[in-house]
Amino acid sequence: MQKVKVWDGFIRSFHWLLVIAIATLYFSAEEGMMELHFVAGYFTLALLLTRLVWGVLGSKTAKLTALIHSPMAVLKSLKEGDSKLGHGAAGSYMVIAFFILLLVQLLSGLMTTDDILTDGPLVEYASSQVVEWAGWVHHNNFDLLFYAIILHVAAIVIYRLKGKKLVKAMVTGYADKEDRGSEIKVTKSPWLAVVIFVLLLAGLMVTWGSEPFSYLFS
């Protein structure tokens, strides 16, 4: 067996920062802390957009094309396991589902209003019907996201019982693979992704996020 670096620094950071961001979004919404909620939302949007860009420019295991598998491959993965580097076929479907649910949650939030003090930055450009629909989507889509998170955690536990240490790999970046006789290189330096994230976050905070950010720290 040999240690192979499967996940680059950005992918690992994305995973854990996303966990913190979603927890912050849920807590701030429940507590009515809307300034924090919007700031966390812009942070999450910048993070997700960077992940999608990195899915084109980044490491082999980060590629969006690496997430595309046929239903037959998923069934085979569930029955026989998956030895490929990165996300397995079944896991890839979960990642795609997360991307879709997060995009829906974030974009609907941009068009949501509480009809009192807080409006999303796109509310002024949408009709009242669209704003009302976006609010309904934003509320109900989170339930789907929550169920997806539970399913994801359950899958991690099941894989751990089978001897596959997914959490450890996402912390260290390395996974155990059979010795193939040569060094395997599938990751890239994360610095380009870091620069993209910083630029996106700065752009969002300077434009849409300036007001809630100033209120948050005033």
Side-chain angles (χ1 to χ4, degrees), residues 4-82:
V4 178
K5 190 169 185 181
V6 177
W7 304 115
D8 61 59
F10 171 72
I11 291 298
R12 302 195 319 270
S13 299
F14 167 81
H15 184 278
W16 299 114
L17 287 173
L18 187 61
V19 171
I20 296 171
I22 292 176
T24 302
L25 286 167
Y26 175 77
F27 171 79
S28 58
E30 289 295 305
E31 296 298 320
M33 303 169 65
M34 298 313 298
E35 290 82 8
L36 176 60
H37 189 73
F38 273 94
V39 169
Y42 298 138
F43 178 90
T44 309
L45 181 58
L47 195 63
L48 182 58
L49 291 177
T50 305
R51 174 63 182 92
L52 296 177
V53 173
W54 196 237
V56 177
L57 304 177
S59 306
K60 289 183 180 179
T61 49
K63 296 284 190 183
L64 296 177
T65 53
L67 300 175
I68 301 174
H69 299 277
S70 68
M72 291 301 296
V74 174
L75 292 175
K76 183 178 179 181
S77 173
L78 292 173
K79 290 180 179 180
E80 303 175 11
D82 201 320

Side-chain angles (χ1 to χ4, degrees), residues 22-158:
I22 292 176
T24 302
L25 286 167
Y26 175 77
F27 171 79
S28 58
E30 289 295 305
E31 296 298 320
M33 303 169 65
M34 298 313 298
E35 290 82 8
L36 176 60
H37 189 73
F38 273 94
V39 169
Y42 298 138
F43 178 90
T44 309
L45 181 58
L47 195 63
L48 182 58
L49 291 177
T50 305
R51 174 63 182 92
L52 296 177
V53 173
W54 196 237
V56 177
L57 304 177
S59 306
K60 289 183 180 179
T61 49
K63 296 284 190 183
L64 296 177
T65 53
L67 300 175
I68 301 174
H69 299 277
S70 68
M72 291 301 296
V74 174
L75 292 175
K76 183 178 179 181
S77 173
L78 292 173
K79 290 180 179 180
E80 303 175 11
D82 201 320
S83 60
K84 71 183 291 292
L85 296 175
H87 292 295
S92 295
Y93 274 40
M94 177 59 71
V95 173
I96 292 172
F98 268 122
F99 286 169
I100 294 173
L101 289 171
L102 282 169
L103 279 173
V104 169
Q105 191 68 15
L106 293 168
L107 293 177
S108 62
L110 297 176
M111 294 184 288
T112 299
T113 179
D114 63 0
D115 293 320
I116 303 174
L117 294 173
T118 308
D119 289 343
L122 299 184
V123 167
E124 62 179 305
Y125 305 108
S127 66
S128 59
Q129 291 85 354
V130 170
V131 170
E132 183 178 356
W133 174 78
W136 181 87
V137 170
H138 194 68
H139 176 77
N140 289 280
N141 184 73
F142 187 83
D143 292 338
L144 297 178
L145 182 59
F146 180 72
Y147 297 141
I149 291 171
I150 293 176
L151 181 60
H152 179 61
V153 172
I156 290 174
V157 172
I158 292 172

